Amino acid sequence: MIWSSEDIARDAVRRQGAGMPAARVAEAVAQAAVRERETAEELRSEGPVERGLVASDPEELAERWAAQHGEWRRVQALMEASGWAVYEPERDSAGSAWAAERTVRRERAITAHAAHLEQRRAAADEVQGEVWVPAGAGRLLRQAASRAGLTPQEVLAQLAERVVVGENGAVSVAPFIPSH
């Protein structure tokens, strides 16, 4: 699951800002503004990009700081408008809605990934092949398929499902009537 820069910023601000007084939120807004400006200037510079301690895509880093600055400003405005002394994420209806949405997306991604893995496990047991059948056997196969309203491939699949391998390695199939 890939989160957008806004998702990452909202999650980070929600975690970092929990219980933070208004003065510290203002400091976080100022710091994010500085980081946003610095990363934007770094992108505009013509020289090589200095990576620092952590190797990161400069465009992605600039996007993240811009998103984080916007989210800190939103939290600051919310606190001022609501008269909150400290930021309480559970009282932040927009932030809580976004967090719930991220949780739902994450759960869907986990479920889809698990289903994909299960599908791959099941597919590992499947065998696909191309069978060249002599003309005489091919005619009999097409006739049996036609009577059952199936394709020759479907009849061959039913035949394969009924294969029995004996102790001596002999392969056999008991007589059956192909059906839907």
Side-chain angles (χ1 to χ4, degrees), residues 13 15 43 49 59 62 64 69 75 81 92 113 138 155 161 178:
V13 169
R15 282 184 290 104
L43 275 178
V49 176
E59 288 182 22
R64 284 190 183 177
H69 182 210
V75 167
D92 179 356
H113 181 68
V155 172
E161 289 172 357

Side-chain angles (χ1 to χ4, degrees), residues 116-129 157 160-161:
H116 175 72
L117 289 178
E118 182 57 34
Q119 201 173 36
R120 286 184 62 194
R121 273 189 224 105
D125 291 338
E126 292 179 3
V127 174
Q128 291 185 0
E161 289 172 357

Side-chain angles (χ1 to χ4, degrees), residues 144-156:
S146 176
R147 281 191 299 255
L150 300 170
T151 66
Q153 292 83 355
E154 291 170 323
V155 172
L156 286 174

Side-chain angles (χ1 to χ4, degrees), residues 88-140:
E88 298 175 47
E90 57 278 353
R91 290 177 59 194
D92 179 356
S93 59
S96 294
W98 289 326
E101 179 186 314
R102 280 191 306 278
T103 300
V104 167
R105 284 194 335 239
R106 181 177 184 275
E107 289 171 359
R108 283 185 190 148
I110 289 170
T111 301
H113 181 68
H116 175 72
L117 289 178
E118 182 57 34
Q119 201 173 36
R120 286 184 62 194
R121 273 189 224 105
D125 291 338
E126 292 179 3
V127 174
Q128 291 185 0
E130 192 171 307
V131 178
W132 291 90
V133 180
R139 276 191 293 280
L140 292 174

Side-chain angles (χ1 to χ4, degrees), residues 10 13-14 25 29 67-81 84 87 89 92-96 98:
R10 289 172 183 154
V13 169
R14 196 169 165 79
V25 168
V29 169
Q68 204 162 44
H69 182 210
E71 184 62 10
W72 278 119
R73 284 193 324 250
R74 184 193 71 79
V75 167
Q76 184 181 38
L78 173 67
M79 289 178 68
E80 288 172 359
W84 297 350
Y87 177 62
D92 179 356
S93 59
S96 294
W98 289 326

Side-chain angles (χ1 to χ4, degrees), residues 41-59:
E41 287 172 1
E42 192 173 310
L43 275 178
R44 288 190 297 267
S45 69
E46 291 185 25
V49 176
E50 189 175 311
R51 299 272 172 144
L53 296 175
V54 179
S56 179
D57 176 16
E59 288 182 22

